[in-house]
């Protein structure tokens, strides 16, 4: 069996515009020298302007997809994105507990949930209690951190609350800083480990946070330390956003193949 190319498993939705989801994860993995395998968690309907609808897959189908790959191929890392239902969170939990040795990177994404429904809060609660204990790294933006850490009111306290759920590291992204910069903060059980500052770019299409999480999973699959993986993945994501292309009538799409395109 050829193990020279690390294999990463992504569990997320299909976005027909290619802004996010499975297409974005595939482009990221190809750019970073990994083979990507995918479990479809949901089918969304939308374009670069707006989301029109989303339908989660049946929880049994999600499990069948994941186990088929995990029992066949040597998965070096797992990236988890949008799941879409509490049932799917529970289903994925039943899979992860059988593979505790595989590094897991989570982008806690409930962006596709209807903001006016009661779907999002149960998703946050289920993901925090059932998935975070298996996570090597969780990558919430500041809005997601607020939604998941219900007892905390400042960013450091939010990070600590989420770390107490069981994840090893937490990368909090998009914290406003001075001089048109954003700050990303890396935490572990000891507290704040490192701060990273990045020039704030014009917003790209939905999918940037997922790209960061997938890049971290790929770098970990290559054997990098968590700090090295986080540092390189932020640079990759920043470059992809900086080189975004307006391919539709809405927001631009990050160019995750920028290195390939410029060779």
């Amino acid at each position: 069996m050829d193990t020279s190319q690390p294999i990463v498993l992504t569990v997320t939705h299909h976005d027909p515009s290619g802004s996010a989801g499975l297409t974005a994860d595939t482009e990221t993995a190809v750019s970073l020298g990994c083979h990507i395998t995918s479990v479809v968690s949901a089918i969304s309907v939308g374009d670069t302007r707006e989301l029109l609808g989303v339908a989660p897959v049946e929880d049994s189908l999600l499990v069948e997809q994941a186990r088929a790959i995990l029992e066949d191929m040597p998965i070096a890392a797992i990236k988890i994105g949008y799941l879409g239902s509490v049932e799917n969170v529970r289903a994925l939990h039943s899979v992860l507990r059988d593979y505790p040795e595989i590094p897991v990177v989570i982008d806690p994404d409930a962006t596709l949930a209807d903001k006016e429904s009661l779907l999002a809060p149960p998703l946050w609660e289920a993901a925090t209690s059932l998935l975070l204990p298996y996570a090597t790294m969780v990558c919430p933006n500041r809005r997601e951190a607020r939604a998941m850490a219900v007892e905390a009111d400042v960013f450091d306290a939010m990070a600590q609350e989420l770390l107490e759920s069981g994840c090893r590291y937490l990368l909090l992204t998009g914290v406003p800083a001075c001089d048109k910069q954003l700050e990303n903060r890396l935490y572990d059980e000891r507290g704040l480990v490192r701060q990273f500052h990045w020039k704030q770019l014009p917003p790209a299409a939905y999918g940037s946070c997922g790209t960061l999480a997938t890049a971290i999973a790929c770098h970990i699959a290559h054997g990098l330390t968590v700090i090295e993986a986080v540092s390189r993945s932020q640079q990759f994501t920043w470059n992809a956003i900086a080189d975004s292309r307006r391919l539709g009538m809405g927001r631009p799409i990050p160019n995750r193949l920028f290195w390939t395109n410029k060779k």
Side-chain angles (χ1 to χ4, degrees), residues 28-149:
T28 299
V30 168
S31 289
L32 296 175
C34 290
H35 176 75
I36 196 81
T37 61
S38 55
V39 170
V40 182
S41 63
I43 304 293
S44 67
V45 179
D47 53 27
T48 58
R49 293 172 296 185
E50 61 180 333
L51 173 72
L52 301 173
V54 60
V57 304
E58 293 290 334
D59 54 342
S60 59
L61 181 57
L62 186 147
V63 170
E64 289 172 5
Q65 292 179 82
R67 291 197 182 279
I69 296 302
L70 287 162
E71 293 171 9
D72 178 54
M73 305 171 79
I75 301 301
I78 298 172
K79 179 261 182 164
I80 300 171
Y82 179 75
L83 293 177
S85 71
V86 172
E87 291 76 16
N88 276 349
V89 172
R90 292 171 179 160
L92 189 55
H93 167 262
S94 73
V95 174
L96 293 181
R97 67 187 180 191
D98 291 336
Y99 297 89
E101 74 283 358
I102 301 178
V104 175
V105 180
I106 299 178
D107 168 29
D109 182 9
T111 305
L112 302 183
D114 184 350
K115 304 302 187 301
E116 303 303 321
S117 77
L118 298 178
L119 176 59
L123 266 178
W124 296 127
E125 182 179 352
T128 301
S129 61
L130 296 178
L131 300 183
L132 263 59
Y134 295 95
T136 305
M137 168 73 67
V138 180
C139 309
N141 60 34
R142 63 183 187 271
R143 182 186 63 82
E144 293 160 348
R146 286 194 183 99
M148 298 174 75

Side-chain angles (χ1 to χ4, degrees), residues 133-199:
Y134 295 95
T136 305
M137 168 73 67
V138 180
C139 309
N141 60 34
R142 63 183 187 271
R143 182 186 63 82
E144 293 160 348
R146 286 194 183 99
M148 298 174 75
V150 295
E151 301 296 331
D153 57 357
V154 296
F155 290 127
D156 288 349
M158 294 174 196
Q160 184 59 40
E161 181 177 334
L162 295 177
L163 284 162
E164 289 174 357
S165 297
C167 59
R168 289 176 53 202
Y169 292 90
L170 184 138
L171 181 65
L172 178 61
T173 63
V175 178
C178 59
D179 299 326
K180 297 183 179 180
Q181 288 189 331
L182 294 176
E183 180 179 276
N184 297 338
R185 301 178 182 178
L186 179 64
Y187 299 85
D188 67 8
E189 61 183 4
R190 300 166 297 176
L192 183 62
V193 174
R194 188 167 297 184
Q195 295 164 280
F196 305 87
H197 292 88
W198 297 95
K199 179 183 177 181

Side-chain angles (χ1 to χ4, degrees), residues 79 107 139-141 144 173 205-214 237 241:
K79 179 261 182 164
D107 168 29
C139 309
N141 60 34
E144 293 160 348
T173 63
Y206 165 67
S208 300
C209 293
T211 296
L212 176 59
T214 305
T237 304
I241 298 171

